[in-house]
């Protein structure tokens, strides 16, 4: 009886110890800031109020809202200052530092376990933070999570849906040709984001290079939900700084192709980039096809990307390239490409590609 009671006491002590240890850790975690929402602002007086309100009204409440006003010359400062909320951490840069320096300033100041990006002209859906945080918490090996979005104009009118691939293998392949993430939709592991950070050498495509690095190192995802209204208007960076953006895209492409080829020559780089931006290029369909086949062959040897997913993406890009050309024998040329094999030919898939 004495021995049995002693065993019961030890078991009870262990259970209580576990309970109080777990409860203590729970209370510590509750006091931690789970998410930092990082939003740089520059001359965004027309939209910043709505952007701020969309974050403050999130269903998930455990976050800090780090707003950095990067030397705005309009009424942005006054609008931001009009909000009184303990979750807002406001930094007002007297001089404009530029988007890359401001984003890295935000990474340094952030206290959250996750960092969510937000732009001052966009609108977050009420459950955005809760859904992305839940995904990352449930899948700790995943270090970056974006979502789909709805494009809106300056007046808030919906223009179209912005889709991105969901799964890591698809994202990795898609990203080889174009950014697989919509920057203001992402939430990422803070430690990983700070390790890579934004690079001034990739200005105006700094997100593409950063996310490319993370995508090549960790599992990533895009939620199959539209968690943001993504505003497109005349003041967008992509409209004003096109040439610098193109140069940064080329450097990002060179980085990604280096996983497949020991040396990436300028001609191959330009052909590859023409798939993203075909306007103004004069490469022949034979040159483009040969480049895509080389990618498929190189990956067969190095196994960087899922070969089946890669082949499907290459076929899709090849067809879209032909579609934009004046090729008279489009279907015949498409089906006879070395991007197809006999076992790979699938009428249903071909029809789907043609109709997409």
């Amino acid at each position: 009886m004495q021995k049995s009671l002693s065993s019961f006491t030890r078991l009870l002590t262990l259970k209580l110890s576990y309970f109080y240890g777990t409860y203590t850790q729970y209370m510590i975690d509750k006091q931690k800031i789970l998410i930092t929402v990082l939003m740089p602002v520059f001359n965004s007086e027309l939209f910043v109020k709505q952007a701020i309100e969309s974050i403050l009204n999130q269903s998930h409440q455990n976050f800090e809202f780090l707003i950095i006003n990067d030397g705005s010359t309009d009424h942005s400062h006054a609008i931001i200052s009009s909000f009184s909320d303990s979750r807002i951490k406001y930094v007002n840069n007297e001089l404009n530092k530029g988007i890359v320096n401001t984003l890295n300033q935000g990474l340094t100041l952030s206290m959250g376990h996750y960092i969510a990006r937000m732009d001052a002209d966009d609108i977050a859906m009420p459950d955005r933070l809760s859904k992305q945080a839940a995904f990352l918490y449930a899948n700790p090996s995943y270090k970056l999570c974006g979502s789909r979005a709805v494009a809106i104009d300056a007046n808030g009118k919906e223009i179209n849906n912005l889709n991105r691939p969901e799964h890591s293998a698809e994202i990795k392949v898609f990203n080889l040709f174009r950014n697989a993430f919509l920057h203001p939709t992402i939430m990422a592991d803070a430690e990983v984001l700070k390790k890579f950070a934004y690079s001034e050498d990739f200005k105006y495509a700094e997100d593409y290079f950063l996310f490319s690095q993370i995508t090549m190192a960790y599992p990533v995802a895009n939620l199959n939900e539209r968690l943001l209204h993504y505003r497109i208007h005349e003041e967008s960076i992509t409209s004003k700084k096109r040439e610098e953006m193109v140069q940064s895209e080329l450097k990002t492409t060179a980085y990604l192709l280096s996983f497949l080829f020991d040396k990436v020559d300028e001609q191959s780089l330009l052909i590859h980039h023409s798939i993203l931006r075909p306007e103004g290029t004069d490469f022949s369909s034979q040159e483009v096809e040969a480049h895509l086949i080389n990618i498929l062959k190189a990956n067969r040897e190095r196994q960087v990307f899922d070969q089946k997913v890669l082949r499907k993406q290459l076929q899709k890009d090849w067809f879209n390239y032909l579609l934009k050309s004046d090729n008279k024998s489009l279907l015949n040329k498409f089906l006879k490409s070395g991007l197809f094999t006999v076992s790979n030919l699938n009428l249903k898939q071909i029809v789907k590609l043609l109709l997409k």
Side-chain angles (χ1 to χ4, degrees):
M1 180 67 179
Q2 181 78 23
K3 185 176 180 181
S4 176
L5 187 62
S6 177
S7 298
F8 173 77
T9 303
R10 283 198 300 271
L11 181 61
L12 181 62
T13 302
L14 283 171
K15 285 188 174 182
L16 286 172
S17 175
Y18 174 78
F19 171 78
Y20 284 115
T22 304
Y23 179 75
T24 301
Q25 187 59 50
Y26 170 78
M27 292 304 293
I28 291 171
D29 289 343
K30 287 284 282 183
Q31 293 172 12
K32 288 180 180 177
I33 297 171
L34 182 65
I35 303 166
T36 295
V37 180
L38 172 57
M39 187 175 81
V41 178
F42 180 69
N43 289 349
S44 300
E45 63 181 0
L46 295 177
F47 312 114
V48 69
K49 182 176 185 292
Q50 203 171 9
I52 292 173
E53 289 173 343
S54 75
I55 295 298
L56 296 181
N57 292 329
Q58 288 290 299
S59 58
H60 179 88
Q61 295 292 303
N62 182 13
F63 65 85
E64 65 169 358
F65 192 5
L66 178 54
I67 304 174
I68 305 179
N69 182 28
D70 190 30
S72 293
T73 56
D74 64 359
H75 294 97
S76 294
H77 170 67
I79 295 169
I80 298 166
S81 299
S82 70
F83 285 88
S84 179
D85 191 298
S86 60
R87 293 168 296 179
I88 293 177
K89 182 191 290 183
Y90 179 41
V91 178
N92 186 30
N93 293 341
E94 291 186 8
L95 299 176
N96 180 264
K97 296 182 176 182
I99 185 63
V100 174
N101 283 329
T102 301
L103 287 171
N104 285 331
Q105 179 185 8
L107 296 186
T108 301
L109 295 172
S110 66
M111 301 294 289
H113 180 70
Y114 304 124
I115 296 175
R117 274 284 288 110
M118 180 67 183
D119 279 346
D121 51 2
D122 295 331
I123 304 169
M125 297 296 98
D127 293 329
R128 178 201 163 179
L129 297 183
S130 64
K131 289 180 176 179
Q132 290 187 295
F135 175 85
L136 290 173
Y137 185 80
N139 301 277
S141 65
Y142 283 69
K143 303 302 180 183
L144 176 63
C145 171
S147 78
R148 296 183 172 188
V150 178
I152 58 174
D153 65 15
N155 298 314
K157 181 182 178 182
E158 294 186 7
I159 304 172
N160 59 280
N161 292 327
L162 300 175
N163 298 327
R164 289 295 184 271
E166 296 175 52
H167 306 294
S168 198
E170 297 168 351
I171 289 171
K172 199 172 178 181
V173 167
F174 187 93
N175 204 68
L176 182 60
F177 296 93
R178 54 191 67 80
N179 196 344
F181 293 94
L182 298 165
H183 194 181
T185 72
I186 70 100
M187 182 182 290
D189 181 281
E191 186 178 338
V192 170
L193 209 55
K194 291 176 182 180
K195 179 177 76 172
F196 290 106
Y198 295 90
S199 173
E200 191 71 37
D201 292 335
F202 293 80
K203 200 171 181 180
Y204 303 117
E206 67 280 338
D207 56 324
Y208 185 21
F209 180 61
L210 171 60
F211 302 154
S212 293
Q213 291 176 289
I214 297 174
T215 296
M216 298 306 291
Y218 302 98
V220 294
N222 275 309
L223 298 188
N224 186 19
E225 296 190 61
R226 305 194 189 284
L227 299 181
L228 188 85
H229 279 149
Y230 184 97
R231 200 181 302 271
I232 298 174
H233 54 93
E234 291 182 358
E235 293 302 312
S236 299
I237 287 176
T238 50
S239 298
K240 295 174 67 176
K241 303 291 183 180
R242 181 177 178 80
E243 183 54 39
E244 288 180 85
M245 182 181 67
V246 166
Q247 292 305 313
S248 294
E249 286 172 347
L250 283 166
K251 287 187 285 187
T252 301
T253 298
Y255 163 76
L256 291 167
L257 288 175
S258 71
F259 285 88
L260 292 173
F261 305 103
D262 292 330
K263 183 179 179 181
V264 182
D265 60 75
E266 185 179 0
Q267 179 78 350
S268 296
L269 185 60
L270 292 174
I271 291 173
H272 190 91
H273 190 257
S274 73
I275 296 167
L276 170 63
R277 303 197 184 280
E279 63 276 7
T281 59
D282 55 359
F283 298 111
S284 68
S285 58
Q286 289 83 3
E287 289 175 303
V288 174
E289 181 186 15
H291 174 69
L292 296 178
I293 290 172
N294 285 339
I295 288 175
L296 199 62
K297 289 179 178 178
N299 189 67
R300 189 180 296 119
E301 295 177 5
R302 300 199 177 187
Q303 296 294 305
V304 177
F305 305 95
D306 182 296
Q307 187 75 348
K308 183 178 179 181
V309 175
L310 178 63
R311 185 189 292 275
K312 184 177 178 181
Q313 184 65 51
L314 295 179
Q315 290 169 351
K316 186 183 296 185
D317 280 317
W318 171 231
F319 177 73
N320 286 334
Y321 196 92
L322 289 175
L323 196 63
K324 293 171 185 175
S325 71
D326 296 325
N327 197 289
K328 302 300 181 184
S329 54
L330 172 64
L331 183 59
N332 186 51
K333 191 169 184 62
F334 176 64
L335 295 178
K336 288 186 175 181
S337 171
L339 295 169
F340 288 95
T341 63
V342 174
S343 60
N344 180 249
L345 264 168
N346 181 304
L347 184 59
K348 184 178 178 181
Q349 183 186 26
I350 292 168
V351 171
K352 187 176 180 181
L353 281 167
L354 291 173
L355 294 176
K356 193 168 181 65

